[in-house]
């Protein structure tokens, strides 16, 4: 269905063409994105698998570097611990042996035991998806937003608490200070209904800044 609006839900990103459509809209809406898109186009699709494994993967990525998350993910996959039954069977000790911190092992077990209706989330608007996900211990706004953006393909979701997005927005918009989540969320309202594409652009711009300036 591409990025056609689902009834009561909004745009869905499924293909590179959907991302390109959102990028063109974003460039017309906010000219300061134009040079960024010129450097980063085509923006990556960045869609990930959904369901338990996809949400567990986002939990693994919480508050660690991309490299650290990749290493832990590889160990979890090698140990066959990306399904709910396997996580329950491994228990806390098995999950920690695979590289999860004590809190993340607890979150993984809570998620595995929650029996969340992942398929049913697709029928819900973004705000209700967020509410369902954040009701689970270990899933905060960032985790829910990233899952909804990249595992469900929702086009109008933005994680303002992400440090990389804050750094990129500060540089792009020449802000004196790194914007706090509330301020960045307010800025992002102007990028609706393609806030997920704006996030992709800012993530890509952050990588350029990191390479150019040695940002951590």
């Amino acid at each position: 269905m591409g990025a056609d609006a689902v009834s009561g839900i909004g745009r869905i990103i499924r293909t590179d063409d959907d991302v390109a459509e959102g990028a063109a809209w974003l460039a017309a809406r906010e000219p300061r994105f134009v040079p960024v898109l010129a450097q980063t186009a085509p923006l990556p699709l960045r869609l990930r698998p959904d369901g338990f494994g996809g949400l567990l993967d986002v939990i693994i990525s919480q508050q660690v570097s991309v490299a650290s998350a990749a290493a832990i993910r590889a160990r979890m996959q090698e140990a066959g611990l990306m399904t709910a039954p396997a996580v329950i069977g491994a228990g806390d000790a098995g999950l920690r042996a695979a590289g999860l911190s004590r809190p993340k092992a607890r979150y993984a077990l809570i998620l595995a035991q929650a029996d969340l209706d992942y398929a049913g989330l697709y029928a819900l608007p973004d705000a209700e998806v967020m509410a369902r996900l954040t009701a689970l211990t270990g899933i905060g706004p960032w985790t829910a937003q990233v899952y909804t953006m990249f595992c469900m393909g929702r086009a109008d979701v933005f994680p303002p608490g992400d440090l990389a997005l804050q750094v990129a927005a500060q540089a792009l918009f020449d802000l004196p200070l790194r914007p706090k989540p509330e301020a960045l969320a307010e800025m992002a309202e102007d990028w609706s209904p393609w806030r997920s594409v704006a996030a992709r652009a800012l993530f890509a711009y952050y990588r350029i800044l990191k390479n150019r300036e040695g940002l951590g």
Side-chain angles (χ1 to χ4, degrees), residues 12-14 46-58 77 82-84 111 116-123 129 133 143-144 146-154:
I12 306 295
I13 293 175
R14 301 187 191 279
R46 293 190 69 154
L47 291 184
R48 307 175 178 179
D50 62 356
F52 174 82
L55 188 50
L56 178 60
D57 192 14
V58 182
Q77 290 172 339
M82 297 301 289
T83 67
L111 179 63
L116 187 64
D117 180 9
Y118 294 96
L121 294 177
Y122 284 91
V129 174
L133 294 178
T143 302
V146 169
Y147 180 83
T148 307
M149 288 170 57
F150 296 133
C151 298
M152 296 179 64
R154 295 293 172 91

Side-chain angles (χ1 to χ4, degrees), residues 59 62 92 96 100-110 138:
I59 290 174
Q62 291 173 347
D92 178 77
R96 295 198 66 201
L100 291 188
S101 64
R102 186 180 297 277
K104 288 185 181 179
R106 175 172 174 253
Y107 302 157
L109 285 166
I110 290 172

Side-chain angles (χ1 to χ4, degrees), residues 20-84:
E21 179 187 347
W25 182 95
L26 190 63
R29 175 72 174 182
E30 173 49 74
R32 279 173 287 192
F33 275 109
V34 172
V36 171
L37 294 170
Q39 296 177 72
T40 59
L43 293 175
L45 186 58
R46 293 190 69 154
L47 291 184
R48 307 175 178 179
D50 62 356
F52 174 82
L55 188 50
L56 178 60
D57 192 14
V58 182
I59 290 174
I60 290 170
S61 299
Q62 291 173 347
Q63 297 181 323
V64 296
S65 69
V66 172
S68 294
I72 297 169
R73 182 184 308 112
R75 291 175 64 180
M76 292 283 288
Q77 290 172 339
E78 184 178 357
L81 297 179
M82 297 301 289
T83 67

Side-chain angles (χ1 to χ4, degrees), residues 6 9 12 24 31 36 61 71 77 89 97-98 112 122 124 128 137 142 149 165-166 183 187 200 205 215:
V6 176
I9 292 174
I12 306 295
V36 171
S61 299
Q77 290 172 339
Y122 284 91
L124 303 176
E128 182 60 24
T137 299
W142 180 88
M149 288 170 57
L165 297 184
Q166 295 170 7
M187 289 175 62
R200 285 168 169 82
Y205 188 48
L215 295 175

Side-chain angles (χ1 to χ4, degrees), residues 32 168-177:
R32 279 173 287 192
Q170 180 184 5
L172 179 59
F173 293 94
D174 196 24
L175 303 176
L177 298 172

